[in-house]
Structures are given as C-alpha cells and as structure tokens.
C-alpha cells in the first residue's frame, strides 16, 4: 500500500501540540503544498479555521478530535493512520458566500462552511427585511438575528436556534430566525441551494447589526447577501463507521 504524503496541523492547545509532536515523529511529514492530505488535530473550530486557511491548496482534510467539540472530526488514535486514510470516505462541502455592506458603503466578502448569521449588537431587537431572489418575503422581521445554514452546518448554531437538521447532499439551505418576536408564527424556511438571500438592516444606526461567516465578523452592516458558492468546494475525509452523513442523520434521533 502506498503511504499518502501527510501534512499535520494542530490547534494551539497543550493536548493538540503534544499529539502533533508524537504523531509527526511517527509518520513522515511533508510541507503543506506537497501533501496528499492534511491531517488536522483539534476541535471543530480549528477544523473550520483549517478549511479557510488552506482552501487554496485544494487538499482533502482529515480531522482527529483533540478539542471540546468534534462533529467534523474522527476519533484520535496514534496507530494505523495510513490505513485509516486509505479507507476514509470523502464528503464534498460547498461553502456559502457572504457579501456584507457596511455603514461606510464598503463591501466585505467571506466564505462560510457552517453558517452566515446576523446578530443585534445592542439591547434593542434587530429589524431586518428578508428577500429571496429579489422578492421581498418579510417586510420587517423583529428578532435577535437570523442565519443561513449549509447542510453540514445545520447541526451547529442552526440547530441551537431551533432550525431544521438538513440531510447531507440534500441541495438545500436553512433560513432560521434567532429569537423572533414579529412575525410571531414564522419559524424559518428550507430553501433551494441556489437561492440568493438578501437581508437588509432597517434603522441600522439605532439598531446596529453584525454579520458573521463562520468566525469572520463584520460589524455595523446595512445589507448582507448570501448564496452558495458556485466554484469553491472542499473535501472532508471520515472513517466509514463515523461518516458525516450518518452523524447528521443520527442527530435527528437524539434525545
């Protein structure tokens, strides 16, 4: 069996750094640009940072859990890594593209593999107009915020906000309000993945709102457009017995 060329990256925690020293001594490590696969040691937050940081390399990423949350990770084991990589199944993810316009008129563009969320910055509720593909669906949503989630991210913040769990590969997005006050009965929507979501902040000076794509925050936004990326993908690798599709399915039966 040909051994894959591996580049290891690790979070800054003491546990992850100790594991990095051990595992890189056991397996030959190559520079990131020469790797067949990137092995990330940490938690889900570190996995998201790894995907963003090394996206341009177009390398598959295999995570091993050495953090608090590990939904996107495999179990950490020192031995048998080459065999696990040979057996691993790939899951292709498409990120969201967030275009956020600030009060000054400048535009910031970011990618999100989990979700794009808008949140109020002060004690006052946010007032947001919601449009889909250029058509206004809600004139004024009064809420703490609103988010757009991918299928892979639907079990994260989206689920905590009582949004739906989306099957992996379903080609849909979740649009979920956060603590909505008006309209009282609206609890969100499931959208086709190709839908362009436009979120306009009403009265942004009195009721300021921030927008976050994964961990990249933009403050004092006046308008945010979200759509699925048409040309950017990333491959995550999972052990067959713990693949991401089954994990998302099992979340629907958790109690």
């Amino acid at each position: 069996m040909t051994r894959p060329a591996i580049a290891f990256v690790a979070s800054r925690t003491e546990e992850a750094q100790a594991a990095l020293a051990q595992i890189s001594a056991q397996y030959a490590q190559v520079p990131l640009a020469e790797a067949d696969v990137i092995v990330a040691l940490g938690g889900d937050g570190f996995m998201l940072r790894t995907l963003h940081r090394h996206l341009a390399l177009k390398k598959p990423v295999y995570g091993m859990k050495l953090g608090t949350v590990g939904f996107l990770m495999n179990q950490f084991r020192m031995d048998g890594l080459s065999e696990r990589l040979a057996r691993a199944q790939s899951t292709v993810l498409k990120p969201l593209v967030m275009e956020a316009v600030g009060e000054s008129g400048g535009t910031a563009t970011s990618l999100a593999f989990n979700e794009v969320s808008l949140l109020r910055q002060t004690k006052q509720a946010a007032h947001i107009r919601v449009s889909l593909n250029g058509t206004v669906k809600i004139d004024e949503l009064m809420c703490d915020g609103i988010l757009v989630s991918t299928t892979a991210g639907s079990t994260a913040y989206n689920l905590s906000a009582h949004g739906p769990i989306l099957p992996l590969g379903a080609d849909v997005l979740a649009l979920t309000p956060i603590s909505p006050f008006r309209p009282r009965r609206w609890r969100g929507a499931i959208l086709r993945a190709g839908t362009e979501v436009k979120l306009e902040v009403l009265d942004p000076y009195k009721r300021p709102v921030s927008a976050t794509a994964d961990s990249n925050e933009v403050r004092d936004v006046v308008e945010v457009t979200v759509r699925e990326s048409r040309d950017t993908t990333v491959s995550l690798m999972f052990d067959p017995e713990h693949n991401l599709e089954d994990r998302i399915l099992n979340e629907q039966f958790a109690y």
Side-chain angles (χ1 to χ4, degrees):
M1 180 181 67
T2 302
R3 291 180 177 271
I6 304 172
F8 294 99
V9 293
S11 70
R12 295 184 179 276
T13 66
E14 185 175 332
E15 182 184 17
Q17 288 297 312
L20 174 62
Q22 287 182 285
I23 203 167
S24 58
Q26 183 170 338
Y27 299 92
Q29 177 166 219
V30 301
L32 283 161
E34 300 174 14
D36 296 317
V37 59
I38 297 172
V39 173
L41 309 176
D44 281 353
F46 180 71
M47 171 59 84
L48 290 174
R49 289 194 295 275
T50 299
L51 296 180
H52 283 280
R53 188 172 298 154
H54 304 302
L55 184 63
L57 295 175
K58 300 186 183 300
K59 308 286 186 181
V61 182
Y62 179 92
M64 288 203 283
K65 182 179 180 295
L66 284 166
T68 306
V69 181
F71 196 81
L72 299 176
M73 316 299 280
N74 300 281
Q75 291 301 314
F76 177 80
R77 293 200 304 272
M78 191 71 65
D79 297 326
L81 179 57
S82 297
E83 291 75 17
R84 291 174 74 184
L85 292 175
R87 295 175 56 243
Q89 299 174 347
S90 291
T91 296
V92 177
L93 304 181
K94 291 183 179 180
L96 301 172
V97 179
M98 176 187 82
E99 294 180 352
V101 180
E103 290 178 358
S104 65
T107 301
T109 302
S110 303
L111 297 179
F113 292 97
N114 269 2
E115 76 279 318
V116 170
S117 58
L118 273 66
L119 294 170
R120 63 185 176 98
Q121 292 179 192
T122 67
K123 63 183 180 180
Q124 292 181 302
H127 290 199
I128 298 172
R129 179 178 295 121
V130 180
S131 301
L132 304 179
N133 295 328
T135 300
V136 175
K137 293 297 184 182
I138 300 179
D139 284 315
E140 187 173 20
L141 173 65
M142 299 172 60
C143 57
D144 280 356
I146 188 171
L147 63 84
V148 183
S149 171
T150 65
T151 55
S154 66
T155 58
Y157 191 8
N158 173 71
L159 182 58
S160 296
H162 307 291
I165 296 175
L166 304 175
L168 199 65
D171 205 29
V172 294
L173 304 172
L175 179 64
T176 303
I178 302 168
S179 300
F181 180 65
R182 290 280 193 277
R184 282 194 182 277
R185 292 191 159 193
W186 191 66
R187 291 297 179 266
I190 297 175
L191 313 174
R192 291 182 182 274
T195 304
E196 183 177 270
V197 181
K198 183 177 180 180
L199 306 168
E200 298 172 85
V201 179
L202 307 177
D203 201 1
Y205 299 104
K206 182 180 179 182
R207 303 173 183 273
V209 170
S210 67
T212 304
D214 287 345
S215 60
N216 185 23
E217 184 185 37
V218 181
R219 306 280 289 182
D220 300 312
V221 298
V222 296
E223 181 181 300
V224 176
T225 302
V226 184
R227 66 178 186 278
E228 187 180 73
S229 174
R230 299 181 180 89
D231 52 12
T232 301
T233 60
V234 67
S235 292
L236 290 186
M237 300 174 66
F238 294 92
D239 296 327
E241 61 272 21
H242 295 292
N243 67 70
L244 187 60
E245 184 174 358
D246 286 345
R247 293 185 195 186
I248 292 176
L249 176 64
N250 290 338
E251 281 292 319
Q252 298 183 75
F253 297 91
Y255 57 91

